Amino acid sequence: ATFATKVVSQASYQKGHLAALTEDAWKGTESIDHEELRDTVAKLQERCGPDRLDAVDFIIVEGFRAFHDFELVKRMDLLLWVELDRETCHARRQASASPVPESVFLINLWPTHVEYQLLLSGPDGKISRARDRSVVLDGRQPPEDLLEAALAEVRRRFPMLGQTGG
C-alpha cells in the first residue's frame, strides 16, 4: 500500500525576528514560531481521511524542539525521542554540515539540550504526560540502526504499514 506522508520540519518555522530576541539566537526554543507550526499541523490533520483527494495519511513533525508546544504534542500519535549522550551528540554535531565551535557546544548547545530533556521527561514534562505515546530511542546506535529502531516503533504503532513500510 502507498501512504500519503507529509514531513513538517521545525526548521522551516525558525524566524529571524524571533531569533534576534533571544540570547541563544537560532539555537533557542524562542526562535521558532510554535503557533504557526501548530496551525500547519492542524491544517494537515484536517486532510486526514479516505474521502479526500488531497488526503494525508501520516504527518511527521521533526525538529530539535518538536515537543516544546504541548498543544502540538497532544496532536501527535507517536513521539520518538532520541536519547543522546554528550560524546555522541558532540561527534555527530561536529561531523554535520553545520559544526560549531567547541565553546558553543559546551556553553550553549549541550546545556540547552540537557535542560530541554529534563523539562520534557520530568514529572510534568510533555513526554511524561504522553508516556503512552512516547518511545525513547538509543541515539548512541549507528544512524542506520537508529533509523531501523524508529521504523520498528512506527510499524508496531501502525500495523497497517506491514513489515515493508509504505
Side-chain angles (χ1 to χ4, degrees):
T2 301
F3 298 96
T5 304
K6 294 287 184 185
V7 177
V8 180
S9 176
Q10 191 177 54
S12 299
Y13 298 87
Q14 287 182 290
K15 307 295 182 182
H17 70 282
L18 295 175
L21 299 175
T22 178
E23 180 179 315
D24 294 333
W26 293 106
K27 296 161 192 70
T29 301
E30 299 81 14
S31 71
I32 301 159
D33 188 335
H34 294 280
E35 183 176 348
E36 184 181 353
L37 173 61
R38 185 180 346 111
D39 290 347
T40 298
V41 171
K43 286 176 184 156
L44 286 170
Q45 285 179 321
E46 289 172 7
R47 292 173 42 193
C48 291
D51 299 333
R52 295 192 54 132
L53 292 175
D54 63 345
V56 174
D57 298 304
F58 292 95
I59 303 164
I60 298 171
V61 179
E62 69 82 25
F64 73 107
R65 294 289 189 261
F67 305 142
H68 173 76
D69 177 2
F70 193 62
E71 292 304 312
L72 178 60
V73 168
K74 289 193 302 191
R75 294 180 163 279
M76 297 177 179
D77 294 317
L78 176 62
L79 291 77
L80 297 176
W81 173 263
V82 178
E83 182 74 34
L84 283 172
D85 61 27
R86 187 180 112 23
E87 292 74 26
T88 305
C89 182
H90 181 265
R92 290 195 181 153
R93 180 60 190 231
Q94 296 311 87
S96 75
S98 53
V100 296
E102 188 73 14
S103 62
V104 170
F105 182 84
L106 293 173
I107 295 169
N108 185 303
L109 292 183
W110 184 250
T112 302
H113 169 75
V114 170
E115 179 183 311
Y116 183 62
Q117 177 185 18
L118 292 172
L119 180 70
L120 292 178
S121 59
D124 292 328
K126 292 159 182 91
I127 288 181
S128 297
R129 289 189 277 169
R131 190 163 312 283
D132 61 323
R133 299 175 285 129
S134 302
V135 176
V136 177
L137 300 172
D138 183 356
R140 296 170 301 172
Q141 299 179 72
E144 310 77 39
D145 295 345
L146 184 59
L147 175 60
E148 282 305 315
L151 289 173
E153 287 298 331
V154 170
R155 289 182 189 116
R156 186 180 67 75
R157 184 68 57 137
F158 305 103
M160 73 285 269
L161 291 174
Q163 295 303 310
T164 58

